[in-house]
Amino acid sequence: MGSQGELRRRYLSLGTGELVAATVFALLAHFSVAPRLDPDAVPALWSALVPLLVILVQAGAYWLLARGRIGTGEAMPEGERTAYRILRVVNSILLMAGLIGVFRWWPGASGATVLCVLIWLFGVAEFVNYYVVRLAYPAGRWFSLVGQRRIPRLVRDLQGH
């Protein structure tokens, strides 16, 4: 995969990228999207977005914490492992609650509906990418690599690999 320095830079990029993405999505939702929606649709937006934000922040923290273990041969510490095992369950509950919220505050037949569903689906994709099967690959090689059903790095760390 490259030198330890390259791997550390990659993990830093992944970690900060996920945290920046969460921040940007939250700010865009609050300052740009929500003010343009019918007020009754805003809870649906946040119901869809909150699980995604939580998963992105966890992912960012994961990469930054894993960065510190590069080259040490250390496994993920047991406390961290326990936390991420619990978060896997919490994320599932948040995604279910988010979907219930989207349906509860259904924005009607509008662009807001499509937006909320797409945001929620993105949260599901991020969850799957980190906790089930790796989905993130370069666009040009995505179809050939995603079919390999690789185990995500986080799952391997949770298994002690």
Side-chain angles (χ1 to χ4, degrees):
M1 169 152 247
S3 74
Q4 289 180 10
E6 289 171 5
L7 194 55
R8 287 180 59 76
R9 283 189 294 280
R10 179 168 168 74
Y11 280 26
L12 178 63
S13 176
L14 289 167
T16 56
E18 297 290 36
L19 295 174
V20 167
T23 302
V24 168
F25 291 157
L27 291 172
L28 282 173
H30 181 72
F31 291 109
S32 184
V33 177
R36 291 182 169 90
L37 295 179
D38 181 304
D40 293 336
V42 173
L45 170 69
W46 288 104
S47 292
L49 187 58
V50 165
L52 172 61
L53 297 177
V54 169
I55 292 167
L56 289 174
V57 168
Q58 290 168 26
Y62 164 72
W63 289 116
L64 295 176
L65 290 167
R67 181 176 184 261
R69 293 190 298 274
I70 293 172
T72 67
E74 295 176 20
M76 178 185 267
E78 192 56 40
E80 190 178 330
R81 188 176 295 143
T82 299
Y84 275 94
R85 285 181 179 142
I86 292 168
L87 289 170
R88 177 174 29 205
V89 174
V90 168
N91 292 336
S92 299
I93 293 167
L94 280 174
L95 285 164
M96 287 187 290
L99 183 60
I100 290 168
V102 169
F103 280 113
R104 164 65 180 86
W105 291 290
W106 191 254
S110 68
T113 301
V114 172
L115 179 64
C116 290
V117 169
L118 288 175
I119 290 169
W120 183 83
L121 287 171
F122 186 36
V124 170
E126 286 290 338
F127 174 81
V128 168
N129 184 56
Y130 280 101
Y131 289 98
V132 181
V133 64
R134 184 174 169 191
L135 298 176
Y137 295 102
R141 298 177 48 210
W142 191 85
F143 286 104
S144 64
L145 293 174
V146 77
Q148 295 177 6
R149 299 189 48 84
R150 291 184 182 168
I151 297 171
R153 175 81 248 165
L154 174 57
V155 172
R156 290 195 317 239
D157 279 351
L158 291 175
Q159 295 169 342
H161 297 268

